[in-house]
Amino acid sequence: MREKVLEILLEVNEEIGSYKGESLLEDEVITSLEVIEIVSALEDEFGITISAKNISRDNFATVDSICDMVESLQS
Amino acid sequence: MSLVSIWFLVFLSLVVLVYFVIPKKLQWGWLLVSSLAFYVLCSYGLVFVPVLSAAIAFGFGKQVETKKSRGMMFLAILLFLAVLFVFKYAKWLGPGWTRALSATSFGFAEGYLIPLGISYYSIMGIAYLTDVYRGVIPAERNFAKLLLFLTFFPVVTQGPILRYEETISQLTSPHRFSYENLTFGIQRMIWGFFKKLVISERLAILSAHITEGWGSSAYSGGYVLLSIFAFSFRLYMDFSGCIDIVLGTAEILGIRLPENFNHSYLSRSIPEFWRRWHITLGTWLRDYVMYSVTMSSAAKKFTKKAKEKIGRKAAATLVTCAGICLVWLVYALWHDISWTFLLSGGFFAVIIILSTVLDPVIKKFRKRFPKLVSSLPYLVFMTLRTMLLSMMGAFFVFMPSVKDGLGYLAGIVKTPSGPFFEAASGDGFLKILGLELPDLMVLAAAFVIWILVSRLHARKDPRIFLAQQKLAVRWVLLLLLLMAVIIFGIYGGMEAGSFVYQAF
C-alpha cells in the first residue's frame, strides 16, 4: 500500500519524496489544492472517505502518517 | 479599560497577585471572575452576550456529542451567527433597532453597540462545536470552564483566536509562580507597549493627516503612497503590539497562547503573507471553512463528476477556487458588512486563486532558474511587491467608501500641486506630514530598534538573548526600552487607548 500512496503523492507533488520535516501541511510543502487532489486520488484508489476532520497536521505530517490514516480508514 | 492604560496594569497586578496566593484549585475560578470583571469594566452590561454564547455552546455541545447530530451542530452555529448578527451588525437592522438597543440599560450607546470581542468568541464557539461534532474533542461538562475559555480577559480585546483543545487544560490546570514567566511576560508586554505607543500612535498621526486631506490636490503622488505605507505599518504595529501585550499577560500567568504574526511584511507572496498575518484567523478559515466546504459530500460529488469530464487536476482546481472564494467572503463578512471589505476580500481571493492556478508554472520557473530565484535582487523585488499588494488591499478597507478608496489610490499617479504643494518645501514638508521634526526622529529611531529586534527574533527569542547577557547589560537594555515607552509614548491621543482591530 505504501508504494501506491507514495506514487499518488509524488504524482501530485514531487517535493514530497525528498521532504524530511515534521509536517507536510504545516510546513506548506503541499497546498490546499494539492490536499484536495491527494484526497480525491486516495479515495478513488482505496475506496475510503476522507473528511475534513482527517485533514490535520498529524495525519498529513509525513508519507508514513498519510499511510497510517489510509490504513485506519480502511479498517 | 484599555490594555495600554494604567488601570489595566493595576487590574493585572491584582489578578496576578491573587492568582498565585490563593489555593491552586481556585485559580481557574479566579481567572473566570477576573475575566467577567474585565468584561464588565469594558462593556458594562453587555457581559450577558458572551454568557449567552457560552450557554449556546454548552447546551448544544452535549447534544451534538451524544446524538452525533449534524443538524444540531448547524442549528447551534446558526444561533451563534444570529447573536453575532443582532449585536455586531445591528446597524443593518435599521435605526429603530439601534434606538431600541440604546434605550436598554445594558450599556449600549450610540456608536458603541458592539459587545467587546463578539467576533472572536463567536468563531471560537463555532470551532468548539465543530470539533465536538467531528469527535476531535469531548463536549465540556462544566459551563464555567467553557465560559472562561470564551471570555479569557487578555484575549477578548482582539484575539488571538483560541482552540479549545490547545487552551482549556492550560486555563483550568494549576500554575506555580515562575520568575522566568514573570520576566518574559513583562518583557513581551513592554515590547508591545513600545510598538503601540511609540511607533503606531505616531504613524496614526501621519497617516490620518494625509488621509483626511486627500481631497486637496496636495496629497497625491508620493504622499498617497507614503500614507498607505504609514497606515499599513501602523495597523501592523497596533495589532501585533496588542498581541504582544496579550501573550505577555498570559505568559505571566503560566499560559502559552498561539502566535498571531510571523514577520508578515517579509513574505514573498500573498498566500505566504496570509499565513504570517493574523495567523489564528487564517488557520480557523482553513480548518472550519475551506476544508469543511471542499471535503463536504456535495463537493466530493461535484469533483467525481467533474473529473470524468475535465480530469482530476482541473476538477480539484475548481473546488479549491470555490473554497477560496468562500473563505474570503467569510473573511470580509467577519470584519464587517461593507463593500470595501467585500472588495478587499475579492482582491485577495483573485490573487490567491491566480497563485493556486499558476503554481505549477511558478514551480517550473523556480526549477528552471534556481540561481535567479535565490538572488538578492529577486528576493527583494518579491518582498516589496508582496508588501505593496498586501498594503493596498488592507488599506482600502478603512476608506469610508469604495469610491473614496479608488479615488485615493488613483491619487498615486497624480502630481502634487496647489498651495499645499508650494508649502511642502522646507518646514512645510513636515507640516504636510502632520509631525514635528523630533517626532520624525523618534519614529526613525524606533523603526531601527524594531528592525534590529526583528532580525534577532528571526534567529532566537530576544528574551533568551537578553537573559544570556550580564545582569547590568540586561537591566540597562530593559530600562532603556521602558524609558523609551514612558518618555516617547503618545498617551491620550485620538486613539491611544484603543486598538484598530478592537472594532471587530
Side-chain angles (χ1 to χ4, degrees), chain B residues 58-79:
Chain B
F58 183 71
F60 279 89
K62 285 197 288 188
Q63 295 292 318
V64 167
E65 185 184 49
T66 48
K67 294 181 180 166
K68 285 278 166 211
S69 165
R70 183 187 286 194
M72 280 282 190
M73 181 192 68
F74 280 129
L75 182 61
I77 291 173
L78 275 178
L79 281 173

Side-chain angles (χ1 to χ4, degrees), chain B residues 252-271:
Chain B
I252 293 172
L253 299 163
I255 296 161
R256 299 278 190 279
L257 299 180
E259 294 289 342
N260 218 24
F261 292 91
N262 178 18
H263 307 287
S264 318
Y265 284 124
L266 293 180
S267 309
R268 285 163 192 158
S269 69
I270 288 295

Side-chain angles (χ1 to χ4, degrees), chain A residues 8 11-15 25-26 28-45 49-53 55 57, chain B residues 133-136 272 275 283 286-287 290-292 294-295 300 303-304 307 312-313 315-320 356-357 359-360 363 366-367:
Chain A
I8 288 170
E11 198 182 309
V12 174
N13 184 335
E14 290 174 0
E15 288 174 35
L25 205 59
E26 294 293 311
E28 294 147 18
V29 177
I30 47 176
T31 61
S32 300
L33 169 62
E34 287 165 348
V35 168
I36 292 164
E37 277 186 77
I38 291 167
V39 166
S40 175
L42 291 175
E43 285 185 338
D44 287 351
E45 182 63 35
T49 303
I50 300 172
S51 61
K53 76 169 180 184
I55 315 296
R57 175 197 156 96
Chain B
Y133 173 72
R134 288 176 179 175
V136 177
E272 186 190 352
R275 288 191 293 267
T283 53
R286 182 195 67 195
D287 294 346
M290 182 74 183
Y291 288 138
S292 289
T294 53
M295 294 292 143
K300 295 258 179 79
T303 313
K304 205 169 187 177
K307 72 185 170 194
R312 178 179 289 142
K313 181 120 192 139
T317 305
L318 277 180
V319 171
T320 307
T356 306
V357 173
D359 190 54
K363 276 182 179 158
R366 282 195 195 132
K367 220 172 177 180

